[in-house]
Amino acid sequence: MSQVFSKSPKHCAKQQGLTIEKSYKKLFFACSAVFTSVLAFIFIIWLILHPSKPQFSLKEADIYQLNLSGPHLLNSSIQLTLLSKNPNKKVGIYYDELHAYASYKGQQITVDSSLPPFYQGHEESNLLTASLEGTGLPVAPSFGYEVGRDQTAGRIILNLKVNGKLRWKVGTWVSGKYRFNVNCISVMAFGPNTPTAPLSSYQGTQCSTAV
């Protein structure tokens, strides 16, 4: 007598469920492998290219106005010229949302001035100019005293700053945005016998850049 074995519907459903679960696991591992490979490829390209942060130097700074219109209100006018350089041979840089301003002893003495966005090619340099101004800006009560003390010492030191966002460009690939900050120190002659405005600085000094 021959025996006939039949599988119950419950057993078939269980087996089918295991097959689907295995398929999902295979798909998950395949996607993970592709994603990991893509990340590894991008990371290797990044290491090979190793983009250097842009370089900025102060070319000229002129103070046309820096005086108090009230006990603690400042009027200011400063003309700024910077040289921006992309040191990379294979990486371009997009600059976005650029703002420049001046500060004195930790106090902002001009409002933010917007600079137009631009693209900088490989090993390319660009001159950036900005008119920094302020009208009736509130300053600390000690501001007038500090400026007077600097005049007695024969010099005044300003921090000229640029903040913005940049994007790296490699071929047709463009990265996300990275915030960067530039700080340039300008030292100007400022004594009792110094000629009237503008006070000028022609240093060509390197600025610090943080990305």
Side-chain angles (χ1 to χ4, degrees):
M1 181 185 296
S2 61
Q3 294 182 342
V4 178
F5 294 93
S6 63
K7 296 181 180 179
S8 66
K10 184 177 180 181
H11 180 78
C12 291
K14 184 177 180 181
Q15 189 175 28
Q16 187 177 9
L18 290 174
T19 303
I20 294 174
E21 185 178 352
K22 288 181 180 179
S23 298
Y24 275 122
K25 284 184 178 181
K26 288 181 180 180
L27 181 61
F28 173 77
F29 286 127
C31 291
S32 299
V34 171
F35 182 71
T36 303
S37 299
V38 170
L39 286 181
F41 176 75
I42 293 174
F43 181 68
I44 291 171
I45 294 297
W46 183 264
L47 287 178
I48 293 173
L49 296 173
H50 192 60
S52 300
K53 60 187 178 182
Q55 300 170 353
F56 290 84
S57 58
L58 177 63
K59 301 303 293 180
E60 184 178 352
D62 300 308
I63 300 178
Y64 288 91
Q65 185 181 21
L66 191 66
N67 54 52
L68 294 170
S69 60
H72 312 306
L73 298 176
L74 176 70
N75 294 330
S76 59
S77 178
I78 301 170
Q79 187 70 28
L80 170 66
T81 302
L82 295 176
L83 178 67
S84 169
K85 181 181 179 181
N86 175 11
N88 298 287
K89 295 182 178 180
K90 298 181 180 179
V91 182
I93 304 176
Y94 285 103
Y95 294 90
D96 305 301
E97 302 175 34
L98 298 173
H99 299 278
Y101 66 93
S103 67
Y104 171 74
K105 295 188 183 298
Q107 301 179 74
Q108 187 167 338
I109 58 173
T110 68
V111 297
D112 289 355
S113 178
S114 298
L115 284 77
F118 66 98
Y119 172 74
Q120 197 167 52
H122 311 156
E123 299 184 305
E124 190 173 273
S125 297
N126 300 87
L127 281 176
L128 308 178
T129 60
S131 296
L132 312 179
E133 297 182 350
T135 303
L137 293 179
V139 291
S142 61
F143 184 87
Y145 168 76
E146 295 289 352
V147 172
R149 192 170 67 171
D150 282 349
Q151 189 172 27
T152 301
R155 69 175 189 174
I156 187 170
I157 301 175
L158 298 183
N159 289 84
L160 303 166
K161 301 187 177 185
V162 177
N163 300 326
K165 296 180 180 179
L166 62 79
R167 293 172 291 154
W168 308 108
K169 181 178 183 296
V170 181
T172 58
W173 177 80
V174 179
S175 74
K177 292 184 178 181
Y178 295 86
R179 181 167 294 279
F180 74 97
N181 304 286
V182 179
N183 182 26
C184 304
I185 299 175
S186 174
V187 182
M188 303 180 184
F190 181 52
N193 301 320
T194 302
T196 56
L199 301 178
S200 299
S201 171
Y202 303 92
Q203 292 174 278
T205 53
Q206 195 74 15
C207 307
S208 61
T209 306
V211 179

